[in-house]
Amino acid sequence: LERRIKHERSARLISFNQQEKTKKRMQALNTVELLKAASKNLGIGPHYTMDIAEKLYIKGYISYPRTESSAYPSSFDFNAILNQFKDNSVWGDYAKNLLAEGIYSNKAGHDAGDHPPITPMKSIDENNISSDEWKIYSYVTKCFLASISPNCK
């Protein structure tokens, strides 16, 4: 098809179909999913990922990174976390919008009862940490925000 139309100057659209599709919001992040995503999407191996996550935890930037939970307990204070992000240069506007519009709780997932899913605990910027730490922190933050956002359309 490309070869046939490559040198044409114009084309006419005869028809098209438009459908709205919805993708469910992701579950909250547990250790296994963090390790898989870091390896596949960020190019960071599992052992190094856990080293980074533990450093971020010790610094107070994320919650305990060794958890099987992929659902938040009913008592989890989402607003406290989101309020910390209101002035963040990367996620501030999105956090404010979630606070204004409301949080979408995800009933799916598993609450192991040991620790909540991996969650950002402090709002920081990229220049506060190393580039690999930022990759993991940023991924954790994006997953947190996605897990309490409306479904994608």
Side-chain angles (χ1 to χ4, degrees), residues 28-43:
L29 190 62
N30 65 20
T31 305
V32 171
E33 293 305 314
L34 172 62
L35 296 176
K36 288 191 320 192
S39 180
K40 180 179 178 184
N41 302 325
L42 304 176

Side-chain angles (χ1 to χ4, degrees), residues 45-87:
H47 182 72
Y48 187 44
T49 296
M50 283 312 298
D51 286 346
I52 293 170
E54 287 171 355
K55 285 178 188 175
L56 293 171
Y57 168 69
I58 289 168
K59 292 177 182 179
Y61 297 149
I62 66 171
S63 63
Y64 188 65
R66 294 185 184 272
T67 180
E68 294 179 21
S69 295
S70 59
Y72 288 97
S74 59
S75 61
F76 193 85
D77 190 356
F78 296 103
N79 288 344
I81 303 295
L82 288 173
N83 276 313
Q84 289 193 41
F85 282 91
K86 287 192 306 189
D87 296 323

Side-chain angles (χ1 to χ4, degrees), residues 22-27 106 108 146 149-152:
T22 301
K23 184 173 181 177
K24 290 181 71 171
R25 70 186 145 274
M26 67 182 302
Q27 291 183 356
N106 198 339
S149 295
N151 292 333
C152 294

Side-chain angles (χ1 to χ4, degrees), residues 56 59-62 84-85 87-92 120-130 133-138 141:
L56 293 171
K59 292 177 182 179
Y61 297 149
I62 66 171
Q84 289 193 41
F85 282 91
D87 296 323
N88 185 283
S89 61
V90 179
W91 300 291
M121 301 306 290
K122 286 185 182 175
S123 172
I124 59 173
D125 291 314
E126 187 172 5
N127 57 1
N128 296 91
I129 54 180
S130 75
E133 287 174 329
W134 177 253
K135 287 177 186 177
I136 299 298
Y137 176 83
S138 177
T141 303

Side-chain angles (χ1 to χ4, degrees), residues 85-149:
F85 282 91
K86 287 192 306 189
D87 296 323
N88 185 283
S89 61
V90 179
W91 300 291
D93 290 340
Y94 197 82
K96 288 179 205 172
N97 186 51
L98 281 174
L99 286 164
E101 299 292 323
I103 294 162
Y104 295 78
S105 64
N106 198 339
K107 304 294 184 212
H110 170 67
D111 180 4
D114 56 351
H115 301 282
I118 306 169
T119 306
M121 301 306 290
K122 286 185 182 175
S123 172
I124 59 173
D125 291 314
E126 187 172 5
N127 57 1
N128 296 91
I129 54 180
S130 75
S131 67
D132 285 343
E133 287 174 329
W134 177 253
K135 287 177 186 177
I136 299 298
Y137 176 83
S138 177
Y139 185 76
V140 168
T141 303
K142 289 173 187 176
C143 289
F144 169 71
L145 294 172
S147 73
I148 60 172
S149 295

